[in-house]
Amino acid sequence: MKATLSNSDYLRNFDRFISRLDFSDPDTLRIYSHPKWINVHPAVLALIVAMAMRAGKQNVMFENLTATSGSYLDRMGLFEFTQQKSPYTINKKEESGRFIPITVIKNSTEQSKFITDMVPLLHLPADKTDAIKYTIGELLRNVLEHAGSTAGAIVAAQYYKKSNTIRIGICDGGIGMKKSLQHYWASRSKTDIEAIKWAMVPGISGTTRKEGGTEDNAGAGLFFIKSIAQVARNYFMIYSGSGIYKLLLHDKRVEKPRLHPDPDDDRHSERNDAPYFQGTLVAIDLSLENKSEFTQLLSAIREVYGKAVRDRKRKKYKEPRFI
Amino acid sequence: MSMIIKMKDLAGDFAENKDVAKDLRVTKIMPALADGKEVVLDFSGVSGTTQSFIHALISEPIRQFRDVALEKMHHKNCSDVVKEVIKTVYEYMQESLDSGNYEK
């Protein structure tokens, strides 16, 4: 396998990073990088760790790691997943370190501890952290329940002061979204991109054919996360198998971006020909500038969710037979 | 008779662990409702929660006991975030019950 880190691997340009991935030969991983500058989204690191776990620590090699900014990889803990030692010396107590290093979560107890422990790392006011805890909590739980990954969930995040944004990546090397939906929704998940989009529809869960879910799963998680990103006018991306769905930025002149139950109605890009990744990567940028409260956001999501359930119910009503 | 459940003691200040929610549902909420007791979920000290936590906590009581659960379950000291999430689950659960579109 091969991955190449560039000087601008953010969600806006994520297709470029993905097009350079090579998942052939799963027993080795070679990581190439820009010789002078490395700038990567935490989702890139989460994905590389998933690849490194598949290859085995001793089979991961960095090539031409010369950029001084590569110390970020050390700061985020990437070298803990490789045999190779870090060539960098970093001061771990620098004030700028508002980040959550790469962490592997294997069960709900570890998840709860992680969510409690991560907030102080970000040095953010308490009222700004609800959306972050919500997003990470739901995405981690999705991995633990649906991904079928024995290695667990890989999470990393970074706060960017200039844009007042937190960028989050969560990845697993599990069965992928298509397989996760196959049992109950085979006809709606024939391709990876179909599966990704169907999983975002309100009330659709991989654990039941019934819309509305079971006692343990409502099928609402990804719809909520997508909506949180949408209202905050930020990127949200899912990469699984060969499919990629990316929510694009809303025009800032639009005061309130409209939430849609059908992901096809959102301003997005999609493809189903990406290098095949066995697992799922979810990446999200959350702006903390958003003036509307998290409660208002939840209220807006509730209205759209309720309407989606009602509309789908109406579609199943039987028509009177006029003869 | 009412049963008071202090959520913070069990779920922490951000309630997201669905295993905790499921355990509370199975061992406390469902038996209490079956006995005709009132259930008070006290969210004092809980700043927020996730939809999947609240779903795992109260969707099955609503599905199984319907109006009894809706009348006998009470939510106390909720933050605005917790209130919004509970309102969401109440709304879609009642929609689902109306349509018979929910399976155990």
Side-chain angles (χ1 to χ4, degrees):
Chain A
M1 296 182 285
K2 291 175 190 166
T4 306
L5 308 177
S6 82
N7 57 0
S8 183
D9 287 333
Y10 294 119
L11 292 189
R12 189 166 51 121
N13 312 319
F14 217 72
D15 270 10
R16 282 204 319 226
F17 167 73
I18 285 173
S19 65
R20 296 190 300 263
L21 290 170
D22 178 352
F23 292 101
S24 61
D25 185 11
D27 296 332
T28 62
L29 171 62
R30 289 181 185 276
I31 306 167
Y32 299 86
S33 55
H34 190 281
K36 291 187 176 171
W37 202 257
I38 296 172
N39 261 328
V40 295
H41 193 285
V44 167
L45 302 179
L47 177 64
I48 285 179
V49 168
M51 295 166 82
M53 288 168 111
R54 178 156 296 159
K57 194 173 180 175
Q58 67 284 3
N59 299 318
V60 182
M61 286 146 279
F62 287 92
E63 306 283 348
N64 68 328
L65 188 55
T66 53
T68 43
S69 53
S71 59
Y72 179 66
L73 308 180
D74 190 353
R75 183 186 296 278
M76 293 297 280
L78 185 60
F79 290 95
E80 289 179 27
F81 299 89
T82 69
Q83 193 83 333
Q84 194 171 329
K85 287 188 178 167
S86 168
Y88 302 100
T89 308
I90 55 169
N91 176 4
K92 292 198 174 181
K93 288 185 179 171
E94 277 179 31
E95 196 212 358
S96 59
R98 293 182 168 192
F99 60 93
I100 297 167
I102 302 161
T103 308
V104 178
I105 307 288
K106 290 191 174 175
N107 55 53
S108 61
T109 307
E110 289 180 9
Q111 174 180 326
S112 295
K113 184 176 183 312
F114 175 77
I115 287 176
T116 304
D117 294 348
M118 74 175 184
V119 173
L121 297 178
L122 297 169
H123 307 291
L124 294 171
D127 64 328
K128 295 286 182 193
T129 58
D130 279 339
I132 299 168
K133 287 190 274 193
Y134 189 101
T135 302
I136 292 182
E138 291 288 49
L139 290 175
L140 284 176
R141 189 72 201 189
N142 266 0
V143 175
L144 298 180
E145 284 190 352
H146 305 299
S149 167
T150 50
I154 304 149
V155 58
Q158 172 76 50
Y159 174 71
Y160 292 81
K161 195 174 180 181
K162 193 174 172 187
S163 57
N164 197 14
T165 301
I166 181 160
R167 295 173 181 168
I168 301 164
I170 292 178
C171 190
D172 68 78
I175 59 175
M177 290 178 74
K178 184 180 161 190
K179 195 167 178 189
S180 173
L181 287 176
Q182 281 291 299
H183 187 65
Y184 290 106
W185 299 105
S187 64
R188 304 306 298 255
S189 56
K190 287 178 186 159
T191 65
D192 291 305
I193 189 64
E194 275 182 10
I196 291 169
K197 289 193 286 186
W198 189 239
M200 285 189 278
V201 172
I204 301 301
S205 167
T207 59
T208 176
R209 176 77 194 171
K210 294 277 184 178
E211 294 172 16
T214 68
E215 71 268 43
D216 291 323
N217 285 286
L222 283 175
F223 170 72
F224 269 62
I225 305 299
K226 174 173 73 77
S227 301
I228 289 169
Q230 199 162 20
V231 172
R233 300 163 199 275
N234 272 302
Y235 288 111
F236 168 71
M237 187 206 70
I238 301 179
Y239 174 24
S240 186
S242 296
I244 300 176
Y245 178 98
K246 187 165 81 174
L247 194 66
L248 299 175
L249 297 189
H250 264 272
D251 188 333
K252 285 187 177 172
R253 289 170 297 185
V254 179
E255 196 176 334
K256 284 187 181 174
R258 199 169 159 199
L259 302 177
H260 300 107
D262 183 346
D264 268 331
D265 294 336
D266 291 318
R267 188 166 176 267
H268 75 284
S269 68
E270 65 175 68
R271 59 188 281 202
N272 199 46
D273 60 354
Y276 187 85
F277 167 50
Q278 181 59 62
T280 302
L281 171 68
V282 180
I284 184 168
D285 292 350
L286 284 179
S287 169
L288 305 178
E289 283 291 326
N290 194 20
K291 287 179 187 149
S292 66
E293 295 294 323
F294 188 51
T295 47
Q296 291 173 298
L297 170 58
L298 290 174
S299 174
I301 295 171
R302 174 162 52 84
E303 280 177 29
V304 176
Y305 193 95
K307 185 174 182 310
V309 173
R310 282 193 295 278
D311 287 350
R312 258 210 314 273
K313 194 169 75 176
R314 276 198 200 103
K315 279 186 185 169
K316 291 183 177 172
Y317 287 168
K318 287 188 175 148
E319 293 287 327
R321 293 180 182 181
F322 298 108
I323 54 172
Chain B
M1 281 284 289
S2 66
M3 171 186 278
I4 299 172
I5 301 174
K6 297 267 186 192
M7 298 303 295
K8 191 187 175 189
D9 296 346
L10 303 155
D13 60 7
F14 189 84
E16 46 69 41
N17 189 330
K18 279 174 73 178
D19 293 340
V20 170
K22 185 176 178 177
D23 186 56
L24 275 174
R25 180 188 83 217
V26 171
T27 63
K28 296 207 159 111
I29 299 173
M30 299 289 281
L33 290 174
D35 286 348
K37 291 178 186 166
E38 307 257 328
V39 176
V40 178
L41 301 172
D42 186 347
F43 286 87
S44 175
V46 177
S47 68
T49 186
T50 60
Q51 169 272 326
S52 61
F53 178 90
I54 296 297
H55 181 90
L57 188 71
I58 62 174
S59 70
E60 180 62 3
I62 293 173
R63 189 200 70 81
Q64 192 162 320
F65 296 103
R66 300 194 177 217
D67 283 349
V68 172
L70 297 173
E71 283 163 21
K72 297 211 169 196
M73 279 198 300
H74 305 278
H75 311 282
K76 191 177 173 187
N77 295 320
C78 296
S79 71
D80 289 344
V81 170
V82 173
K83 269 186 196 165
E84 279 303 326
V85 177
I86 291 173
K87 276 155 73 176
T88 301
V89 175
Y90 263 63
E91 191 170 305
Y92 73 65
M93 278 311 298
Q94 289 179 84
E95 295 279 4
S96 300
L97 289 177
D98 288 346
S99 67
N101 194 20
Y102 176 82
E103 82 170 8
K104 188 177 177 184

